[in-house]
Amino acid sequence: MRDPAVVTLNADGEYYLNDVATALIIGVSAETLRSHAVRDDHGRAAYRLPETLIRSGRRRTREFGEMTGTTEPDMGDALIHFANLEGVELIFEDATGERITLSAPGFWRRNGGAPTN
């Protein structure tokens, strides 16, 4: 079973995307994304993404924008779309820790595969 994509709303009002959610937006695997993580002096991870991954993220944004007819696609809607498309569970977690599943892989999908499996 694949790890879920999790979007967390922190107490300060900022959203945090875990590696799986970030990878969905960019259009790469979480493993590929993690391979570009670097740690700062405080142990926090940041990404140094090569231009190819940056272009991939822009392409995904453009594709979703064209599909929805908007020039500024909503990231939440895009995450739900790509999670459904790729069979990834998408969870929203608020600042109190309450979790809501926004997208769950369908029962007809095997191992997160295409919905035609």
Side-chain angles (χ1 to χ4, degrees), residues 37-52:
V38 292
R39 299 257 174 217
D40 67 11
D41 294 337
H42 303 287
R44 295 178 295 223
Y47 299 107
R48 298 242 165 103
L49 300 179
E51 187 60 33
T52 55

Side-chain angles (χ1 to χ4, degrees), residues 25-115:
I25 288 292
I26 294 174
V28 298
S29 70
E31 292 76 28
T32 298
L33 182 67
R34 288 181 192 123
S35 73
H36 296 284
V38 292
R39 299 257 174 217
D40 67 11
D41 294 337
H42 303 287
R44 295 178 295 223
Y47 299 107
R48 298 242 165 103
L49 300 179
E51 187 60 33
T52 55
L53 295 188
I54 293 168
R55 282 195 306 266
S56 177
R58 288 178 183 147
R59 179 186 44 76
R60 291 272 274 203
T61 301
R62 203 171 37 254
E63 287 173 2
F64 183 75
E66 290 169 0
M67 184 189 78
T68 59
T70 181
T71 57
E72 295 196 29
D74 178 79
M75 184 175 63
D77 290 342
L79 277 168
I80 291 169
H81 169 75
F82 291 124
N84 284 327
L85 185 70
E86 297 185 18
V88 175
E89 181 178 22
L90 175 61
I91 298 170
F92 173 78
E93 183 176 334
D94 69 16
T96 67
E98 184 175 343
R99 290 179 151 215
I100 300 167
T101 299
L102 300 175
S103 175
F107 67 89
W108 63 89
R109 295 182 181 165
R110 292 188 297 264
N111 298 322

